[in-house]
Amino acid sequence: MRKFLLLVLPAFLVLACKEEKTAEAIEVGPEALHGSIDRVTQIMIHDIFSPPVASRIFAYPAIAAYEITALNNDAYLSLAGQATGLEPIPKPNDEQEINYQLAAVVAHMELSKQLIFSEKDMEQYRDSLYTIWEAKNKVLFDTSKTYGLQVAEHISEWMGKDNYAQTRTMPKFTIRTEDETRWQPTPPAYMEGIEPHWSKIRPFLIDSAEQFKPIPPPPFSMDKKSHFYKELQEVYDISKKIADEGDASEEIKIAQFWDCNPYVSVTRGHLMFATKKITPGAHWIGIVKIATRKTGSDFDKTLYAYTKTSMAIADAFISCWDEKYRSNLIRPETLINQHIDDSWKPVLQTPPFPEYTSGHSVVSGAASIALTDIFGEGFAFDDDTEVPYGLPIRSFTSFEHAADEAAISRMYGGIHYRAAVEVGVEQGRNLGAYIMNKVKMTPSPSN
């Protein structure tokens, strides 16, 4: 028996060494995170989520992933007790080794899968990563995956209390055509008002939907000497100037670059179909990727940037939609067709919700403040976010520069009055500044 053990033991040790050598470290860099977010963006384009809903889809998975990395990195602070209603995530078993970045990506993919419709598309990306990670170190993969799923479940429970499910059963928006000041559906699809109850969604960091309530729009008046009518006429005059210049117009290029309308309908004969475009929030999430790659940000800082920006975007939509359905202002297209030119069409297709304030302006203002807080003022970048959709790269000297262009693009596109743009971007910047002062995601220098 002893002789048998002496013969078997060396062979066992050799096999054990071979197994130890095959168990590699699992490197999870920022590209795995970029890939997960890119896949979610592509799925949202296919599934056609509204801009407010899309902002929610970006925020929760980012927070789930961030909370895992913050638990393991003293350079970042948990959002528990800061984001409304968020409790600390469960801690992993001390006896198990965890790859926190792997667990973070697992949590991000799992939450994303819960929030979109085309789950199989997300699962394909997930499984491609799982195959690679499991082959390198199955034990570490299994423990990290299990923990990532545990945290995803924790965030999912918190997410389920944000009133989203309740808003799905609330009444549709009531259209009153007898009041010419109120928003009415616009051609070509004449869609109903999108997300009229979005202000009831629980905010992430602002105190309430109405906290950054903007000043009212100019009083409605069709008197040609009134402020309101002058803004209406300005939209029409700009569109005529742009039309005369044709595709060479810089205003047209700006309007098209920032269109980001997932509801654009195209009519061909008797058929009507939607073209595929990202939402305004998705465009700014794309800018996060550009900034983190340009700075060579590691996994944790990349996730920090995505999380901070996505929360600002999500709260900006809640704030903006609160005002949209309060002021319920009619769009330029409707009034121009009724009172100035019945054959006029805007450069961009009018999206299906009230006019004031401009969603692009509010969201861009908030996102630009978040990104400036992370990467600093005067951060120049080349924005290639729209290249996959057939549009060229545009260059910006700062995030504020990009936000200003995104805002004015809505007036160039013929879908907003000047007040909605100028007040909207200020609303977004005020909201963004508040969030940056309130949320503490990194220790203070004194610590």
Side-chain angles (χ1 to χ4, degrees):
M1 181 66 177
R2 184 178 178 183
K3 184 177 181 181
F4 172 78
L5 290 173
L6 291 172
L7 290 171
V8 170
L9 185 59
F12 173 79
L13 291 173
V14 169
L15 287 172
C17 289
K18 285 184 178 179
E19 287 183 6
E20 186 176 343
K21 288 180 181 178
T22 57
E24 303 176 25
I26 303 176
E27 299 292 336
V28 182
E31 289 306 314
L33 185 61
H34 292 317
S36 181
I37 292 169
D38 285 348
R39 181 56 62 95
V40 172
T41 301
Q42 293 162 9
I43 291 171
M44 285 196 287
I45 292 169
H46 175 271
D47 290 348
I48 312 182
F49 285 98
S50 71
V53 175
S55 72
R56 181 176 181 266
I57 296 173
F58 282 123
Y60 281 111
I63 292 171
Y66 173 81
E67 286 298 287
I68 292 174
T69 60
L71 190 65
N72 185 56
N73 188 338
D74 291 339
Y76 299 99
L77 302 176
S78 170
L79 290 165
Q82 298 194 78
T84 305
L86 177 61
E87 299 291 335
I89 60 172
K91 294 183 178 180
N93 187 332
D94 290 338
E95 297 178 358
Q96 294 180 329
E97 183 181 1
I98 301 293
N99 183 316
Y100 286 86
Q101 294 175 352
L102 190 157
V105 177
V106 168
H108 189 278
M109 293 187 294
E110 177 62 24
L111 259 294
S112 298
K113 186 169 72 74
Q114 292 181 22
L115 287 162
I116 45 89
F117 299 141
S118 301
E119 295 181 10
K120 288 186 178 179
D121 289 344
M122 196 67 212
E123 289 170 355
Q124 287 177 352
Y125 178 76
R126 177 201 67 187
D127 292 346
S128 68
L129 291 181
Y130 280 6
T131 300
I132 295 170
W133 293 336
E134 187 173 24
K136 288 187 175 182
N137 191 326
K138 187 178 188 311
V139 174
L140 181 59
F141 166 71
D142 286 342
T143 56
S144 304
K145 173 189 170 185
T146 298
Y147 181 60
L149 294 175
Q150 184 182 5
V151 173
E153 182 179 357
H154 177 86
I155 299 297
S156 180
E157 290 178 2
W158 171 57
M159 178 177 71
K161 300 174 184 177
D162 72 352
N163 296 326
Y164 177 78
Q166 289 82 347
T167 62
R168 302 307 91 187
T169 62
M170 291 179 182
K172 294 181 179 180
F173 177 66
T174 302
I175 299 167
R176 298 178 184 171
T177 56
E178 71 278 6
D179 184 348
E180 67 173 345
T181 72
R182 291 172 62 91
W183 176 81
Q184 299 175 28
T186 49
Y190 295 94
M191 294 180 64
E192 296 177 339
I194 297 298
E195 298 298 340
H197 304 288
W198 199 254
S199 63
K200 299 178 179 67
I201 298 293
R202 178 190 62 201
F204 288 91
L205 293 166
I206 60 175
D207 297 336
S208 65
E210 62 271 14
Q211 183 178 0
F212 291 91
K213 179 181 176 181
I215 61 173
F220 181 89
S221 173
M222 295 310 292
D223 182 340
K224 292 185 179 181
K225 295 181 181 179
S226 69
H227 186 170
F228 181 86
Y229 190 90
K230 288 177 180 177
E231 287 203 358
L232 175 66
Q233 186 69 47
E234 181 183 25
V235 174
Y236 180 72
D237 291 344
I238 288 175
S239 71
K240 298 297 285 184
K241 171 184 174 293
I242 290 173
D244 291 341
E245 294 176 1
D247 292 340
S249 165
E250 181 67 7
E251 290 89 348
I252 282 185
K253 293 176 183 177
I254 291 172
Q256 291 175 339
F257 185 78
W258 293 100
D259 186 11
C260 305
N261 180 2
Y263 290 107
V264 172
S265 300
V266 179
T267 302
R268 298 277 172 79
H270 297 292
L271 297 176
M272 180 177 288
F273 57 91
T275 59
K276 303 298 184 182
K277 294 186 179 182
I278 59 174
T279 62
H283 190 131
W284 281 97
I285 291 296
I287 292 175
V288 175
K289 180 172 70 173
I290 293 167
T292 54
R293 280 179 170 170
K294 180 176 178 179
T295 54
S297 298
D298 63 13
F299 182 95
D300 290 4
K301 184 174 181 180
T302 296
L303 183 51
Y304 162 71
Y306 274 125
T307 306
K308 202 169 193 178
T309 307
S310 68
M311 289 191 297
I313 290 170
D315 276 0
F317 271 111
I318 293 172
S319 176
C320 180
W321 251 246
D322 176 62
E323 178 57 37
K324 277 188 179 294
Y325 284 95
R326 177 175 35 249
S327 55
N328 195 14
L329 187 60
I330 195 165
R331 289 274 185 171
E333 183 171 12
T334 305
L335 292 178
I336 291 173
N337 287 163
Q338 290 175 350
H339 299 279
I340 300 176
D341 183 347
D342 61 6
S343 63
W344 181 84
K345 292 182 180 180
V347 172
L348 302 179
Q349 196 170 111
T350 302
F353 34 79
E355 192 272 342
Y356 188 83
T357 47
S358 157
H360 269 64
S361 303
V362 179
V363 168
S364 296
S368 69
I369 293 295
L371 285 163
T372 300
D373 185 72
I374 298 165
F375 298 103
E377 296 181 1
F379 187 97
F381 64 98
D382 296 325
D383 187 352
D384 62 357
T385 308
E386 299 291 333
V387 168
Y389 313 103
L391 295 169
I393 294 170
R394 290 189 68 82
S395 298
F396 301 99
T397 57
S398 67
F399 300 117
E400 296 284 356
H401 176 202
D404 286 338
E405 186 177 283
I408 198 64
S409 75
R410 315 314 281 163
M411 193 170 73
Y412 294 160
I415 60 177
H416 276 293
Y417 313 108
R418 182 175 290 276
V421 168
E422 294 181 349
V423 176
V425 77
E426 181 183 5
Q427 178 185 355
R429 283 177 173 145
N430 289 340
L431 181 148
Y434 171 83
I435 287 176
M436 295 310 104
N437 288 327
K438 178 179 181 179
V439 68
K440 304 300 180 186
M441 297 176 71
T442 56
S444 62
S446 59
N447 292 339

